Amino acid sequence: MSDLFTHGYALLIGVGNTANPRWSLPVTVKDAQALKAVLTDVNFCAYPNTPDHVRLLHDQEANRNAILEGLDWLKACADRDKDATIVIYYSGHGTYDLSSSAYYLLQHDFDLADIPKTALSAQTLSERLKQIEAKRLWVIVDSCHAEGMASAKGDLPADFLATALPKGVVDVLKQGEGRAVFTSSRGNQSSWVRPDNALSVYTFHLIEALKGAANQSGDRLVTLGNVMTHLGKTVAQSARTLRQAEQTPFFDTATEDFPVAMLRGGKGLPSQPQSGNLPRVITNEEVVTPALAMARRSLAILEEQAAGFGRLQMPAHLRIELEEKRQEVANIEARLKDAHD
């Protein structure tokens, strides 16, 4: 008998066709549809398969008003359910305005001639997110797709740059407690599509993670940390192997680890029988708060990604993020030591 993840609510956006056909990207619809399928599968994530829990917007439905209405719906869900876990997924194009330092998601009905007034700005999205008073809120942005950009990127107005969410924008989106923002790539990297054009590289591995690819025996839930671990190990490797390109996913959290789905419908992974090769017992000194555990996990993922580059070839943004995360871990460790003294 499968359980249901009854406190899970998700708004999934795959922009797909746009009013300007040159910016259409059908694979984003496939991404969102595949994600909905695994979220609502009773044998996997087990979100209730009703419009009260999971809503999908794509093509003409993925317009600005509909997206804002979807965010209002999520606010109502969180107001009604104090144990709500909120998931917002966007797959489509994004662009950065160098003149105003503003970032925009390009939904179905954006007007290329007036992006600031017609596209969905990160600032507007952040304001709506602040109104969602959920203990657990996870934003996933798979933007700046390589497929479809070649013909469209030359159309951008002056001062607009096709790019993934800048770190400063991520910092704004994750303001508040219990917030996590995942992006499919960094800086000017592209978010690549798999050679079969079925899914993007990032969403393919996101779905693997939600099916339990990074879980351990005995687990019954998929957590944010499980997803981070799997994406950190697989996305960059797949981009290099399948597309001979660099794509490094980015994670930023203001939260402890939290469950995002059931694992195999609540059945989980069977516990391994006891054997003579028992794991080392963790000492008291190694028992830290979930916040420190999450920071260390993020650091490990960054270090693994950095190891894929030679010292001279490591991108500057990755070097900066690595140092910032090391400092964050050191600061948390110092606070814990002070508390114990």
Side-chain angles (χ1 to χ4, degrees):
M1 180 69 178
S2 298
D3 296 326
L4 289 178
F5 197 66
T6 54
H7 298 290
Y9 305 88
L11 176 64
L12 312 176
I13 304 161
V15 175
N17 293 328
T18 59
N20 184 331
R22 295 186 68 184
W23 288 84
S24 295
L25 195 58
V27 74
T28 63
V29 178
K30 298 177 184 178
D31 283 344
Q33 289 173 333
L35 184 56
K36 180 184 178 183
V38 74
L39 285 178
T40 58
D41 191 325
V42 294
N43 294 310
F44 288 114
C45 299
Y47 280 55
N49 190 11
T50 72
D52 292 332
H53 284 267
V54 180
R55 295 187 180 182
L56 170 63
L57 301 176
H58 63 84
D59 299 312
Q60 287 84 355
E61 294 176 348
N63 59 69
R64 191 176 186 278
N65 284 340
I67 293 172
L68 294 177
E69 289 173 0
L71 294 172
D72 289 341
W73 164 68
L74 289 176
K75 176 185 182 303
C77 293
D79 290 343
R80 182 174 61 252
D81 184 350
K82 297 306 179 184
D83 290 322
T85 295
I86 302 294
V87 179
I88 301 165
Y89 170 88
Y90 172 90
S91 184
H93 291 307
T95 186
Y96 185 69
D97 185 353
L98 297 172
S99 63
S100 64
S101 299
Y103 189 84
Y104 298 91
L105 298 177
L106 304 182
Q107 78 290 337
H108 170 79
D109 56 342
F110 86 96
D111 184 349
L112 192 64
D114 196 354
I115 290 175
K117 289 185 178 179
T118 60
L120 178 62
S121 71
Q123 182 61 42
T124 297
L125 177 58
S126 175
E127 291 170 357
R128 293 301 178 104
L129 294 182
K130 289 178 183 177
Q131 297 175 20
I132 301 175
E133 298 181 356
K135 296 178 181 178
R136 295 167 292 275
L137 190 149
W138 181 25
V139 180
I140 311 158
V141 179
D142 189 354
S143 67
C144 199
H145 289 73
E147 301 296 327
M149 286 305 300
S151 63
K153 64 183 179 181
D155 293 342
L156 282 171
D159 293 329
F160 281 84
L161 177 67
T163 181
L165 279 172
K167 187 178 185 302
V169 175
V170 173
D171 289 340
V172 172
L173 292 182
K174 75 176 181 67
Q175 288 180 359
E177 297 182 359
R179 307 292 166 114
V181 180
F182 287 16
T183 65
S184 59
S185 57
R186 302 166 186 249
N188 293 331
Q189 293 178 343
S190 292
S191 182
W192 290 89
V193 177
R194 288 170 56 82
D196 60 6
N197 290 318
L199 294 172
S200 69
V201 168
Y202 184 82
T203 298
F204 176 85
H205 290 302
L206 172 63
I207 289 171
E208 285 185 330
L210 290 170
K211 289 182 175 181
N215 281 90
Q216 304 296 320
S217 61
D219 290 350
R220 296 185 67 249
L221 295 167
V222 179
T223 70
L224 204 63
N226 296 140
V227 179
M228 289 172 58
T229 297
H230 188 66
L231 292 175
K233 289 181 177 179
T234 58
V235 173
Q237 180 180 351
S238 287
R240 292 191 190 110
T241 302
L242 300 176
R243 291 300 193 177
Q244 295 74 54
E246 297 300 332
Q247 180 182 342
T248 310
F250 179 76
F251 318 102
D252 208 344
T253 66
T255 179
E256 300 174 354
D257 202 1
F258 60 77
V260 294
M262 304 299 293
L263 175 59
R264 299 188 179 182
K267 296 183 292 292
L269 297 177
S271 298
Q272 295 294 331
Q274 296 293 324
S275 69
N277 298 320
L278 292 176
R280 177 178 62 85
V281 176
I282 299 176
T283 64
N284 288 335
E285 289 74 16
E286 293 173 308
V287 178
V288 294
T289 64
L292 179 56
M294 179 68 84
R296 284 176 170 167
R297 193 186 305 237
S298 299
L299 177 59
I301 291 170
L302 285 172
E303 288 176 336
E304 185 171 347
Q305 293 168 350
F309 299 93
R311 182 173 179 82
L312 296 179
Q313 289 77 30
M314 187 190 306
H317 64 79
L318 182 54
R319 188 178 297 111
I320 292 171
E321 290 163 15
L322 189 58
E323 291 305 315
E324 287 178 345
K325 188 58 67 175
R326 285 172 176 161
Q327 186 60 51
E328 178 185 343
V329 169
N331 290 342
I332 297 174
E333 290 174 336
R335 289 200 300 270
L336 285 175
K337 184 178 183 300
D338 291 341
H340 293 158
D341 291 343

